[in-house]
Amino acid sequence: MSREQEPGYGWQAPPSGSWQAGPPAAAPAPAPGGGSSHRGAWIGAGATLAAAVITVFGAYLLVPGKTGADNKPPVAQVPPASPSPSPSSSPSAAAPAAADSPSGPSTPSAASPSASAPAAKAAGTVRWEGSLVITYTEDKDLDSTPPVRSEINADNDFSVFEFGDRRLRPERGAKAMLWADSKKVPSYADCAAVVDTQATGKDMPLKTGMTVCAKTDEGRVARLTAKETSGQASDTQGTFDVVVWDKS
């Protein structure tokens, strides 16, 4: 056996004064390429990684909606629903107000007098004009348009009858006067000038061609010109050209 093969060859002698029961522990073999320097690098890298993890985790905890205790996901913040616009503030509700503004056209309301009532006609405007037959049994209301017999007797203005001769009678507040100038057909102004002072409610002879200025029981001026007379007793009748003018 060579010396290198002898037990304990290469072992270091223990220091003096110490006792070792067994062979000395073998020292760890050095890592290839310099183990101590590599170990320090790994330790530094581990510390850097741990610091980065701590930094990221701390930043995560600082995000709004995060909790550090149970790491629950953030709750979405739902904004409150905006109130619906009231009808009075909507553009469609404001449109009618714009239409009634002074700058826009306006429509008269149904309650407006100008919209519901016809405009008053000036005195002397022809209200009705035409041929009218008045009989013994059918007197006429000249205030109606056209003149007809009213079922209310107090509204009828003129009747005809025979009493020895044919006669024209103003009825119930109406009055008339014979127009004497046969060469002139009286106008509204002519009749209006005399009817209040000279007309009466008395009967007058009914003759073809005669003209009378009259006033109805409602105060309208009228003109009656007899175009034809005929009949006896209850068949007596007269046909007149009649003009009724409006009053003021």
Side-chain angles (χ1 to χ4, degrees), residues 85-163:
S86 62
S88 60
S89 62
S90 64
S92 60
D100 294 336
S101 62
S103 60
S106 61
T107 302
S109 63
S112 171
S114 60
S116 59
K121 295 182 180 180
T125 303
V126 174
R127 177 181 176 87
W128 185 86
E129 182 175 7
S131 179
L132 183 65
V133 177
I134 304 175
T135 70
Y136 175 75
T137 59
E138 191 174 356
D139 44 0
K140 292 295 193 297
D141 175 15
L142 270 61
D143 291 305
S144 64
T145 307
V148 294
R149 183 179 187 276
S150 174
E151 296 298 325
I152 303 173
N153 287 332
D155 291 340
N156 293 312
D157 296 301
F158 288 93
S159 65
V160 297
F161 67 99
E162 184 184 25
F163 187 73

